[in-house]
Amino acid sequence: MEEGESRRPEKQRRRCCVILSVAVALIVIIIVAVVLGLNGRQEESEIKSIFFSRCEKNDCKKIWGAFQQAYVNKDPCTVPVEAYDPLLAAAPFKSECGRMMFWSKTKDVVRDFAEKTCFSTLEDTLLGSVLDELTWCGKQGSEDTFTTGCPTRRDCENNPVSSFWRSASAAFADVACGNVTAMLNGSIPTPFSPASIFGSIEVKRFNATRTKSLNVVMVIQKNAVTNCTNVSLKDLQGEMDTKGIIYNCKDVTESQIQECSSQPVESCGTCW
Ligand SMILES: *[C@@H]1O[C@H](CO)[C@@H](O)[C@H](O)[C@H]1NC(C)=O
Ligand SMILES: *[C@@H]1O[C@H](CO)[C@@H](O)[C@H](O)[C@H]1NC(C)=O
Ligand SMILES: *[C@@H]1O[C@H](CO)[C@@H](O)[C@H](O)[C@H]1NC(C)=O
Ligand SMILES: *[C@@H]1O[C@H](CO)[C@@H](O)[C@H](O)[C@H]1NC(C)=O
Ligand SMILES: *[C@@H]1O[C@H](CO)[C@@H](O)[C@H](O)[C@H]1NC(C)=O
């Protein structure tokens, strides 16, 4: 009797101890899981929902799959431009002769302008609009998509985001046809930079069999420091001459551009 009575509390204490250890272990496991894995899962669900809400009405599942295969389970510094070939094949760009608009350092004006007029930029295409302003990367040994801690161009050139924009810009310029427009920024000393995406990729891809002319619109803001006479544009003109593409440049004030957006015209480019 006495023995049994004294054993019971000990048993209870042991059971209590076991329950407590299991609880502590579970909490530790949950914390580790959240920090390591679920974080990626949550970031993935965030970017995925943005992707699908912007993609609507297209073959979004197939496009998402082609997008992911470019960078998932890869070192985020070794994603080459070619990794996006299947994505570009899944959502190819259409030629829109006379309506294609390129830009360099003028995103603020271009975005608003293209939205209200017949011009379309890379950011107005399906892929461009779905991925605009997003950040993504993968990690070796993980099937997840991450949106934080991803390398930028300063860390490495072949990061998932930079490689996507280089590959998309090249493909967009490949289909440029008719009269092509480019908006450059007159508020910076060198409006045409050979190192920019426009200068290093798009301009190189223009092909005279498709592209008739390149019409540069130099956006002249109040703080403008240069215009169409800038020497940097001689390089651009030279490249077009070599290809056999007609080159034009016109200084257009920002207010004139805004006026053009508020009076949309049927045929592109008649406003300046
Ligand atoms: C042109 O560049 C300046 C200086 O970087 C910037 O403040 C301005 O917003 C740019 N203009 C456009 C139209 O994006
Ligand atoms: C294309 O540009 C050329 C010269 O740059 C011009 O003569 C022609 O009318 C333009 N074509 C269209 C369809 O705007
Ligand atoms: C332009 O396109 C034509 C036909 O597609 C091709 O034969 C030619 O090599 C291209 N030119 C350049 C400079 O890429
Ligand atoms: C263009 O800029 C140069 C100096 O950079 C200036 O001398 C010239 O008057 C400007 N031309 C126009 C049409 O604004
Ligand atoms: C014009 O272009 C040249 C050469 O590309 C550059 O060095 C210069 O600073 C530019 N800007 C002005 C305002 O002259």
Side-chain angles (χ1 to χ4, degrees):
M1 264 298 267
E2 262 189 56
E3 261 185 57
E5 266 184 44
S6 69
R7 235 180 258 146
R8 214 180 289 149
E10 204 184 301
K11 222 186 204 169
Q12 270 179 357
R13 217 179 300 137
R14 209 179 293 155
R15 195 186 298 155
C16 176
C17 217
V18 167
I19 290 170
L20 202 72
S21 324
V22 168
V24 168
L26 271 178
I27 288 167
V28 169
I29 287 170
I30 287 168
I31 290 171
V32 168
V34 163
V35 168
L36 292 182
L38 297 185
N39 202 17
R41 209 65 44 77
Q42 196 201 325
E43 289 179 5
E44 173 160 323
S45 79
E46 279 165 18
I47 192 173
K48 204 171 171 179
S49 77
I50 297 173
F51 188 102
F52 279 82
S53 70
R54 291 178 179 178
C55 175
E56 61 181 6
K57 290 190 286 181
N58 293 284
D59 196 354
C60 304
K61 264 192 179 162
K62 189 176 131 203
I63 297 170
W64 170 259
F67 168 62
Q68 275 199 309
Q69 65 74 43
Y71 62 87
V72 151
N73 202 354
K74 286 184 189 162
D75 172 350
C77 271
T78 61
V79 174
V81 167
E82 300 76 45
Y84 289 98
D85 287 350
L87 176 63
L88 292 166
F93 297 125
K94 280 194 294 261
S95 274
E96 293 183 285
C97 298
R99 302 173 46 168
M100 296 179 79
M101 167 84 75
F102 293 81
W103 57 273
S104 189
K105 308 264 165 61
T106 49
K107 195 170 185 177
D108 298 344
V109 163
V110 159
R111 177 184 279 161
D112 185 52
F113 182 77
E115 218 165 74
K116 295 175 181 159
T117 61
C118 59
F119 282 104
S120 79
T121 66
L122 174 55
E123 289 68 24
D124 298 309
T125 64
L126 171 63
L127 288 181
S129 63
V130 163
L131 295 171
D132 197 20
E133 309 274 316
L134 294 184
T135 297
W136 64 89
C137 62
K139 273 189 188 131
Q140 231 161 5
S142 164
E143 293 299 318
D144 291 338
T145 295
F146 301 86
T147 57
T148 58
C150 295
T152 65
R153 211 158 21 137
R154 242 172 276 135
D155 302 310
C156 51
E157 196 183 4
N158 281 338
N159 68 74
V161 175
S162 298
S163 289
F164 167 73
W165 288 109
R166 290 206 305 275
S167 114
S169 299
F172 190 62
D174 278 344
V175 299
C177 60
N179 289 347
V180 164
T181 307
M183 272 197 187
L184 303 183
N185 190 335
S187 303
I188 53 178
T190 312
F192 175 68
S193 163
S196 65
I197 284 196
F198 178 64
S200 68
I201 297 172
E202 292 167 339
V203 160
K204 306 277 182 238
R205 296 286 191 133
F206 293 156
N207 185 324
T209 57
R210 286 173 168 275
T211 303
K212 267 208 188 72
S213 73
L214 173 66
N215 301 309
V216 172
V217 172
M218 187 65 69
V219 181
I220 305 296
Q221 297 175 288
K222 288 202 179 71
N223 56 345
V225 296
T226 191
N227 53 42
C228 283
T229 67
N230 185 266
V231 173
S232 70
L233 294 160
K234 288 274 175 289
D235 301 335
L236 179 57
Q237 180 162 18
E239 282 192 57
M240 292 304 110
D241 286 351
T242 307
K243 286 175 186 279
I245 294 173
I246 300 163
Y247 166 91
N248 295 297
C249 182
K250 195 160 185 190
D251 296 319
V252 183
T253 61
E254 188 178 21
S255 57
Q256 203 176 332
I257 290 168
Q258 277 157 358
E259 235 168 82
C260 292
S261 340
S262 63
Q263 305 164 353
V265 278
E266 281 302 311
S267 61
C268 286
T270 54
C271 190
W272 48 68

